[in-house]
Amino acid sequence: MKKFSLLIALVLTMSFVLAGCNTNTDNEQTEINPEVPSENVTDNNNVDPGELVVYSNRNERFVQALLDKFTEDTGIKVSALHGANPLQLVEEQRNVRADIFISNDLGALGYLHSQGLLQGSNPQGIESIPADFRAEDNAFFAISVRSRGFIYNKDMISYEDMPKSNEDLFDAKWADVENGYAITRGGNGGMIGHISSLRYEWGDEKTAQWIDSIRTHAAGIYQGHGDIRRAVGAGEHAFGLVNNYYFHQQLVEPENNNVGFIYLDQGDDEMGAIANAAGLGLVNGAPNNENALIFLEWLLLPENQVLFVGESLELLINSEYGAEYPEVVAANIVEFKDLKSQDMPIKELGNYFEDTRALIEASGLDLDLR
Amino acid sequence: MSDFSNDYNIKKLNKKNDAKVGEKFSPTILRFIRRKWLNIWNCNPPGLILLLLGATVALIMSIPIFYVAWRSLFAGKSRWTRLLDQRIPQLLWNTVSLTAVVMVFTLIIGVSLAFVTIRTDIPFKKMWRWLLALPLIIPPYVGAVTYIIIFGRSGWARNFWRSVPWLVDNFGDYPINIFSFWGVAFVLTMFTYPYVYLITSASLRKMNRNFEEAARSLGMNNFQVFWKVILPALRPAIGASAILVALYVLSDFGAIAMLRYVTFTAAIYFQRVGFDTASASVLSLVLIVITIIILWIESKTRKNNKYYQTSNTYRKPSVLKLGKWKTVTILYVSIIFIVSVVLPIIVLVYWSIIGIRMGALDNRFIGFALNSLKVSSLAALLCMFLSMPVIYLKMRYPSIFTSIIERLSFAGYALPGVIVALGFIFIFNNYIPALYGTFYVVALAFVVRFLPQAMQSGEASLSLVSPKIDEAARSLGCPPWLVMFKVILPNMLPGVLAGGALVFVSSLKELPATLMLRPPGFDTLAVRIYFEASEAIYHLAAPAALLLIIVSIIPLRYMLSKY
């Protein structure tokens, strides 16, 4: 009997020790009383300065440095779930774990807010964000903007030969350019925002045909934009549909950087570039609410807004804060205000989110990879 | 089983049956039920605690899968029809054709290699025997990464092709597309053929020479002997290994996802990532059905194929002289070895060196390694602990109940990690929210996936422990569950630990369940390899992949000794 209870105690103690970070006060207790259920351990993290749980669907490399600096500045430990889908918040709404949701797509944030999953607040510094780029109750706001367009490999195709608008992609001839072109799979946040804007402009029927065209004609269908810009740079495809900052990133690569970029639909009678913004929302019922508010105010400091752009090389909404770009990128920056961009206010995207997903799913693009 | 326990039980039975007239239940019925109960257990029922322990394990193992199937029934008619019309036919074709092609290729390679290393006079035979099993330690998704680096659209092979004008002039542009059906089939074949190779080798080694000599005396030549005598005798082994390969291909997520091919497993994962859980469960049900069909075919063919070896006249099989075929054979074996082991390792070492120079082994890397260690060792511990009641019941108290418990405990093994994870998310998010999103859930999912590995190795060592020891302990008044832990466990510890090591290594490499269940801030090495490689950041993916491979050498010895 003794040996057996020893074994149980060993297994239990082992699992508590393995829990690592938050066992500091509980070790003694577990040895005396092996029946302590494990969830008690995780409750015990109100000790200063506590932690912050961030879900992010933005590229990890852009976000992690920001979060590391936050920890450095405030001592608050950040647990990040990178590659999170906004709908995870919907699924977990009765069991909220996230404090902050960082998104590449303001549409996703708008949708979450419409579902009551984000909460309003009034953090210091919020007035620095223009009203077009935040919810009325500030439940979510954007920091950086990007616009969609084609990155192309200058060794393979010239500016003149490139398609210049969304309409152009209906044409099957783009399937025949050398090595074809690349898009992301339909589940990608950037693609969802793109298609929402097309629906606003064109209506569902024409948009569905457009999805069908690119699905049929694209030579590569990728998970994310990072692979696309690398592939285009390396000559695996002639061009690819990405956000403009991926063009900036490819420019700073040591090799495969002979690339150009086309802002779409800039003609007088055309719809203008499809824009989107990256930002964040405060999760309703956030378990670490206080730390989440600290994070929001911290992020709104000009220097940290600049850091939000960080390695992504996006454009700041508050461009006067002076995001610094490498020389080669600075020469290629087109200020957001100098672009002709879509009529649809970016804040509207959220109202389109759900039906856009349904449209993408009906087309089959959500599951495609190639 | 033992006289003592029979007497003991009958005495107990008699005592309890001293029933009075007018009791609530008729004593006759009670007696009838007791008799039936004892008959089921062959007059040797296990203690209640032991039975409950075993049943609980079986429940934990199988509930997630039943739950997924159950949920799929409530996905709604429109979703079912939509999926049946648009998705399922294509996925079915993608999945089944890939499975079939990989099965055929692994059989050709596995059987031929087994034959060459066991039955011919190929030089360095002993060395080849274990060299050719080495792909076992390379997880297919790591193999996929290495082949993307070699054959990818901007890989080494393309650069080479472009640098040779003659090739470009005569054959045009670089022709290989690894992101294709044949690319996926190639990668899966190269890293799963050892299943066939090992099992067939074991069977070949046991074959009796007499049959072949009889065939030769009837005038058959070497090829005829191979086709008409050897191959049919290998059919059970070939069948068993083909099933293993098929189950693997059905469940693979990492390799196919990296090669951008979509089978059921990938579709379930992507549906789930997009949080269309209803569709994910519908697709899961279809995959469960396919798996069951495959297992059913296997049990069917096993029944019809019985080959008997006569052991009393056993003679070691003769060794075939290769003669003029020697060069060709060595070339063939070397090519397989280079493609499945040498090239991938070279690629990983090359990128690891670059990565380490760029500081890939930083605190984050150590953190990921520690996370992997943490969750895998917890899974291994749990598996060693939980496998005991099931195998003890199975070996000492055989009955219909124990075989049900055992079968259910195997449920997670045959099914993809994606489905296990899906079931876990349903259950923990809805009913056990306190554990949802903790790494305990990840470890539990590993237990469901890999418990059978611990059971198999535990079983092997329990079969060496005499039941007499149990009886002695029982005679001193120990209940069965206590006998198991206190007396039997110490005696079979080496086998249990070996099982634990196997589970540990499998858990380190497990990808889809980790991806779907990991809590915030809890990335493992496998997850990192997947993310870094899918972003083409190879210098960060390679060191982690290399580490996983090095650790996997530990259980390789065990696996080799088994076959």
Side-chain angles (χ1 to χ4, degrees), chain B residues 337-352:
Chain B
F337 177 65
I338 289 170
V339 170
S340 63
V341 180
V342 178
L343 273 179
I345 300 277
I346 289 178
V347 171
L348 288 178
V349 169
Y350 172 83
W351 275 105
S352 294

Side-chain angles (χ1 to χ4, degrees), chain B residues 168-186:
Chain B
V168 181
D169 294 342
N170 286 296
F171 301 99
D173 251 352
Y174 176 64
I176 297 174
N177 182 9
I178 190 88
F179 299 100
S180 64
F181 175 84
W182 291 108
V184 181
F186 165 74

Side-chain angles (χ1 to χ4, degrees), chain A residues 48-326:
Chain A
D48 265 11
E51 65 162 356
L52 179 74
V53 180
V54 174
Y55 283 14
S56 164
N57 80 348
R58 229 164 116 75
N59 190 315
E60 176 180 339
R61 288 188 307 124
F62 312 158
V63 180
Q64 191 59 46
L66 184 80
L67 300 179
D68 288 345
K69 178 162 186 273
F70 175 67
T71 304
E72 210 174 284
D73 289 358
T74 61
I76 295 169
K77 191 176 163 284
V78 181
S79 292
L81 183 70
H82 296 287
N85 188 296
L87 296 180
Q88 184 153 357
L89 292 184
V90 180
E91 183 159 293
E92 291 175 1
Q93 56 183 310
R94 276 171 297 164
N95 181 20
V96 178
R97 296 185 304 153
D99 302 308
I100 296 283
F101 188 82
I102 298 182
S103 176
N104 267 336
D105 171 26
L106 226 51
L109 286 168
Y111 173 75
L112 290 174
H113 193 29
S114 73
Q115 301 297 304
L117 297 168
L118 302 181
Q119 56 171 317
S121 69
N122 211 2
Q124 204 179 348
I126 188 69
E127 61 292 337
S128 71
I129 308 294
D132 284 353
F133 289 98
R134 58 180 151 110
E136 267 154 34
D137 60 354
N138 306 324
F140 65 88
F141 57 88
I143 304 264
S144 60
V145 279
R146 74 277 296 285
S147 30
R148 305 274 289 172
F150 297 129
I151 185 175
Y152 65 98
N153 187 316
K154 288 182 181 172
D155 297 329
M156 301 173 77
I157 191 167
S158 68
Y159 176 83
E160 286 70 33
D161 293 338
M162 278 289 294
K164 304 286 191 314
S165 74
N166 277 293
E167 294 263 1
D168 287 347
L169 287 188
F170 280 108
D171 198 329
K173 74 174 182 184
W174 301 111
D176 300 329
V177 299
E178 188 186 354
N179 291 0
Y181 68 90
I183 56 174
T184 64
R185 110 196 150 79
N188 181 285
M191 190 56 114
I192 294 175
H194 190 110
I195 291 171
S196 288
S197 298
L198 291 181
R199 286 179 57 223
Y200 178 90
E201 188 74 21
W202 291 347
D204 283 3
E205 203 179 315
K206 188 173 170 186
T207 307
Q209 286 168 10
W210 185 84
I211 299 174
D212 218 44
S213 302
I214 59 167
R215 189 185 168 214
T216 318
H217 303 146
I221 300 180
Y222 290 71
Q223 289 273 18
H225 297 102
D227 332 335
I228 294 186
R229 59 124 170 138
R230 283 195 184 84
V232 171
E236 295 169 25
H237 298 289
F239 65 93
L241 180 58
V242 295
N243 301 316
N244 59 342
Y245 61 92
Y246 284 96
F247 160 58
H248 302 154
Q249 289 176 26
Q250 196 61 28
L251 288 174
V252 294
E253 288 285 331
E255 52 187 359
N256 296 334
N257 55 17
N258 191 20
V259 289
F261 192 79
I262 303 225
Y263 290 91
L264 297 181
D265 293 293
Q266 294 298 302
D268 287 340
D269 51 347
E270 290 177 325
M271 68 180 281
I274 288 175
N276 207 331
L280 67 168
L282 174 59
V283 179
N284 200 357
N288 307 295
N289 201 30
E290 277 170 36
N291 285 344
L293 287 170
I294 294 174
F295 182 73
L296 292 182
E297 295 194 342
W298 176 87
L299 185 61
L300 284 164
L301 297 175
E303 57 165 304
N304 295 330
Q305 287 194 34
V306 171
L307 195 66
F308 186 87
V309 168
E311 260 193 72
S312 77
L313 306 179
E314 289 166 295
L315 304 184
L316 264 181
I317 292 175
N318 293 312
S319 53
E320 69 277 13
Y321 289 165
E324 277 177 32
Y325 302 104

Side-chain angles (χ1 to χ4, degrees), chain A residues 12 15-16 26 35-43, chain B residues 434-435 438 440:
Chain A
L12 281 171
S15 43
F16 283 107
D26 286 50
E35 279 94 42
V36 177
S38 51
E39 59 264 35
N40 284 4
V41 180
T42 40
D43 280 349
Chain B
L435 278 182
T438 65
Y440 298 103

